[in-house]
Amino acid sequence: MPARYMRNTAILAKIESTYGVDSTPTEGANALLVSNVSIEPLNATNVDRDLIRPYLGNSEQLVGTAYVGLAFDVELAGSGTAGTAPAYGPLLRACGFAETATGGVRTEYNPVTPVADSVVIYYFSDGVKHIAKGCRGNFAVKMGVSGRPVLSFSFQGIDGGVTAATPSALTLTGFKTPAVITDANTGDVTLGCTYTAATPTLTGGTGYPSQGLELDIGNAVNYTPLLGGETVDISQRSVTGSLALDLTAAQEVTFMGTVKANTTQAMGLMHGTTAGYKAMIFMPAVQIINPKKVDVNGKLMIGFDFRAVPSSGNDELKIVIH
């Protein structure tokens, strides 16, 4: 019997026109360049029959309501042309973000309420094709020093069936190679900055040497089985993250006062040096919490958790590709 391989995996995703109806993604237009893949092909609530019989032993279980769980990473990079949406844009939309492209300048992703968009995902696993419809999900942004900038996605979807199938050749030219998070490629974590959309740039504030940052969008993703219909919904969003800063003694004292006063301030990070390949994270109101001492190769740094909070609503986080 020939071996099958985990690396022989292909994933396609396409926005649905009607929720839960297969939008038929294709290898030529909707293939994803991914890493760190996993799938739960049938995440089922099994029902135990628990039959009473004149002997000990199990009763079989009945497969009840079930959904498909999928997870994978996508590199955070531009499309190669400022103002042209990146190929992973549909994934961000299915995680509750609106996509707004300004030709020749930028593509912005801003959170929305309620979440209307969803995707169909085809997951090819070395000869087997899994279909997940009505997918919505969550993602984390990982921008730690010396690593790739990555979006780590997790989705839930309605089981659309399994067949024996192999994908045709994938078109992946929409995915560009990212720059590693380094001092040369990435700006300081800047607090108290302002986002200027027309440029787009971060202005003002104070930059601090750091190990980069990580944040989790914190979507509450729920599969709800119903007679006459089933859905995957996003019912809450709680953007949180962590970072470690290289602070002077005086700066550490100032930050402690900020934590104790429950102060919020803007936070931004710019990555990339070439137009069309840049990515920016901007949060206008961040509360820094949970200070801790961090040993980094013998160097004392100060770590914090943080929470991004809305100002006027649906504005706690902005991802800008430009």
Side-chain angles (χ1 to χ4, degrees), residues 10 28 67 77 82 88 100 148 163 172 175 226 255 266 276 287 290 301:
Y67 64 88
Y88 51 80
T100 305
R148 298 177 302 158
T163 57
L172 299 169
F175 291 87
L226 297 172
F255 269 74
Q287 180 187 11
N290 301 333
M301 298 185 69

Side-chain angles (χ1 to χ4, degrees), residues 65 224-230:
T65 56
T224 303
L226 297 172
L227 301 180
E230 51 188 337

Side-chain angles (χ1 to χ4, degrees), residues 6 9-11 34-41 68-73 121 123-125 130 153-155:
M6 281 294 297
T9 296
I11 300 178
V34 298
S35 58
N36 193 29
V37 298
S38 66
I39 183 171
E40 296 176 290
V68 181
L70 311 104
F72 47 85
D73 292 348
I121 296 177
Y123 188 108
F124 291 90
S125 178
H130 303 267
F153 289 97
S154 59
F155 287 96

Side-chain angles (χ1 to χ4, degrees), residues 108-128:
E108 290 187 356
Y109 292 92
N110 298 284
V112 294
T113 306
V115 177
D117 284 334
S118 58
V119 290
V120 163
I121 296 177
Y122 288 2
Y123 188 108
F124 291 90
S125 178
D126 203 346
V128 174

Side-chain angles (χ1 to χ4, degrees), residues 80-305:
T81 303
T84 297
Y88 51 80
L91 303 177
L92 294 176
R93 291 172 58 185
C95 291
F97 280 71
E99 178 183 273
T100 305
T102 302
V105 182
R106 67 189 180 277
T107 303
E108 290 187 356
Y109 292 92
N110 298 284
V112 294
T113 306
V115 177
D117 284 334
S118 58
V119 290
V120 163
I121 296 177
Y122 288 2
Y123 188 108
F124 291 90
S125 178
D126 203 346
V128 174
K129 175 184 177 182
H130 303 267
I131 297 178
K133 302 182 297 182
C135 295
R136 293 185 174 122
N138 184 48
F139 68 93
V141 181
K142 299 180 180 179
M143 299 184 73
V145 67
S146 298
R148 298 177 302 158
V150 165
L151 302 172
S152 290
F153 289 97
S154 59
F155 287 96
Q156 295 180 20
I158 299 166
D159 180 18
V162 181
T163 57
T166 301
S168 59
L170 306 180
T171 300
L172 299 169
T173 53
F175 291 87
K176 305 305 178 182
T177 302
V180 173
I181 307 290
T182 66
D183 186 45
N185 295 329
T186 314
D188 292 339
V189 170
T190 304
L191 298 178
C193 54
T194 300
Y195 169 63
T196 303
T199 325
T201 53
L202 298 174
T203 57
T206 303
Y208 298 91
S210 73
Q211 290 192 297
L213 62 80
E214 293 193 3
L215 62 89
D216 189 328
I217 304 309
N219 284 340
V221 185
N222 302 290
Y223 165 71
T224 303
L226 297 172
L227 301 180
E230 51 188 337
T231 60
V232 175
D233 302 294
I234 297 174
S235 58
Q236 175 59 308
R237 181 179 60 244
S238 178
V239 180
T240 60
S242 62
L243 74 167
L245 303 178
D246 185 10
L247 302 177
T248 66
Q251 287 172 332
E252 181 183 348
V253 171
T254 298
F255 269 74
M256 286 296 293
T258 299
V259 171
K260 292 179 179 179
N262 308 313
T263 302
T264 62
Q265 57 191 313
M267 178 187 295
L269 179 65
M270 178 79 77
H271 175 65
T273 59
T274 304
Y277 295 84
K278 298 179 182 179
M280 178 197 299
I281 303 296
F282 178 69
M283 295 167 282
V286 170
Q287 180 187 11
I288 294 176
I289 58 175
N290 301 333
K292 57 186 74 70
K293 309 284 186 173
V294 180
D295 183 340
V296 180
N297 296 328
K299 185 181 183 70
L300 175 62
M301 298 185 69
I302 311 302
F304 300 93
D305 297 328

